[in-house]
């Protein structure tokens, strides 16, 4: 177990020296995207630490998720349908995402923190109340805002997982694995999956050494969507059409 007291003193959770925590099915079934995003605040220092091995980092992540799991058992939150995090209404991970989280515990906190950032930025830029497939609004579901959100999420993941901020091939590979897993939700309509995968690919390919901040990435994604470089769904024909500026505040 990790014994770096200078690092551990920054966290609100404790490392159990006698037993390593594991990502059990109970924990994976309990944690939501919000939970992983919340854990990022405590794990950010671990993610960027050069003093810990990858195994130690993942163990710290599992410890944090275990703490969240037990806290939820004590004070369960009421169930609600909410779109705070991209994009599932119930916010629980699908089976493919759970498998990714089990294999890569630390990555999960970054993935869903990036989802939160992308969702919040979407809502600051777009009017997101309506469907928006034909340009009557920004369209948080299948419209311009949805395209932007997926594009930005994928771009952020590419940036975060590019080793030393230069290995963009690695960043794109890791980002694709997570976002492809997310689209593996049973019952996801084929046209919506196609739209999301296309916008995810565009977002990954936008990232360069010059797009090294969240704000720069957001601007690049907004410009891409506004210029027709993304995909949305026409609600009348159920076909993909180019994005545009509709819905921007």
């Amino acid at each position: 177990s990790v014994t770096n007291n200078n690092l551990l003193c920054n966290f609100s959770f404790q490392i159990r020296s006698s037993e390593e925590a594991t990502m059990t099915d109970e924990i994976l079934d309990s944690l939501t995207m919000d939970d992983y995003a919340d854990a990022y605040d405590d794990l950010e220092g671990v993610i960027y630490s050069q003093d810990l091995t990858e195994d130690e980092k993942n163990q710290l992540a599992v410890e944090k998720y275990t703490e969240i799991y037990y806290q939820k058992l004590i004070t369960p939150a009421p169930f609600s349908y909410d779109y705070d995090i991209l994009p599932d209404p119930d916010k629980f991970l699908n089976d493919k995402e759970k498998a990714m989280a089990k294999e890569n515990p630390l990555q999960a906190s970054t993935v869903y923190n990036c989802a939160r950032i992308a969702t919040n930025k979407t809502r600051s830029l777009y009017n997101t109340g309506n469907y928006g497939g034909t340009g009557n609004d920004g369209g948080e579901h299948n419209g311009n805002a949805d395209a932007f959100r997926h594009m930005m999420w994928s771009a952020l993941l590419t940036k975060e997982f590019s080793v030393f901020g230069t290995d963009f091939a690695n960043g794109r590979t890791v980002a694709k694995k997570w976002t492809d897993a997310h689209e593996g939700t049973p019952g996801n309509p084929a046209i919506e999956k196609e739209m999301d995968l296309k916008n995810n690919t565009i977002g990954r390919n936008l990232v360069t050494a010059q797009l090294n901040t969240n704000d720069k990435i957001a601007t690049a994604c907004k410009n891409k969507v506004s210029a027709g470089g993304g995909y949305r769904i026409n609600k009348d024909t159920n076909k993909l059409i180019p994005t545009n500026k509709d819905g921007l505040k």
Side-chain angles (χ1 to χ4, degrees):
S1 63
V2 180
T3 58
N4 187 332
N5 292 328
N6 290 332
L7 181 65
L8 296 183
C9 69
N10 294 323
F11 304 118
S12 61
F13 56 98
Q14 299 295 320
I15 305 303
R16 293 191 296 270
S17 59
S18 61
E19 179 183 359
E20 287 192 348
T22 58
M23 289 289 277
T24 64
D25 289 342
E26 290 79 8
I27 293 173
L28 288 165
D29 290 341
S30 172
L31 298 187
T32 66
M33 297 179 189
D34 280 320
D35 293 326
Y36 287 104
D38 288 341
Y40 181 86
D41 290 338
D42 280 337
L43 293 172
E44 186 175 8
V46 172
I47 292 169
Y48 296 107
S49 171
Q50 296 182 0
D51 299 323
L52 300 171
T53 66
E54 287 303 307
D55 285 344
E56 289 172 332
K57 290 180 180 182
N58 279 312
Q59 179 61 25
L60 282 164
V62 175
E63 292 281 354
K64 182 59 186 177
Y65 303 148
T66 302
E67 178 190 286
I68 293 173
Y69 167 71
Y70 282 114
Q71 186 61 41
K72 291 176 72 170
L73 290 179
I74 298 171
T75 55
F79 182 84
S80 66
Y81 285 93
D82 191 1
Y83 284 85
D84 286 343
I85 290 290
L86 175 151
D88 293 331
D90 60 9
K91 301 186 298 184
F92 287 95
L93 279 61
N94 65 36
D95 288 343
K96 291 183 178 180
E97 289 174 297
K98 290 176 187 176
M100 288 289 295
K102 188 170 187 176
E103 183 179 354
N104 309 280
L106 187 63
Q107 286 183 5
S109 66
T110 297
V111 168
Y112 298 110
N113 184 63
C114 286
R116 171 177 284 171
I117 293 170
T119 298
N120 290 340
K121 192 64 176 180
T122 301
R123 291 183 168 178
S124 73
L125 292 175
Y126 287 87
N127 298 305
T128 56
N130 296 330
Y131 187 97
T134 55
N136 60 332
D137 199 304
E140 192 163 16
H141 184 216
N142 296 339
N144 291 324
D146 199 357
F148 169 87
R149 184 174 52 180
H150 276 270
M151 208 177 285
M152 183 171 179
W153 184 36
S154 292
L156 289 173
L157 293 181
T158 300
K159 175 177 74 74
E160 290 299 320
F161 293 125
S162 294
V163 180
F164 302 116
T166 57
D167 187 356
F168 299 114
N170 181 75
R172 292 186 184 100
T173 297
V174 177
K176 185 177 188 302
K177 287 180 179 180
W178 277 99
T179 54
D180 283 0
H182 184 75
E183 295 305 323
T185 301
N188 189 14
I191 189 66
E192 295 186 16
K193 180 177 180 178
E194 181 183 3
M195 170 189 162
D196 293 343
L197 290 175
K198 285 180 178 291
N199 288 319
N200 289 343
T201 299
I202 293 167
R204 292 194 301 270
N205 291 333
L206 279 176
V207 179
T208 65
Q210 287 70 44
L211 261 64
N212 55 3
T213 68
N214 292 355
D215 285 343
K216 288 180 180 179
I217 287 174
T219 298
C221 291
K222 183 186 74 171
N223 291 342
K224 192 75 170 179
V225 170
S226 296
Y231 295 88
R232 57 186 172 132
I233 299 174
N234 185 307
K235 69 178 180 180
D236 297 321
T237 65
N238 203 38
K239 302 290 186 182
L240 294 180
I241 59 175
T243 52
N244 60 20
K245 294 182 179 180
D246 289 352
L248 282 170
K249 291 182 179 179

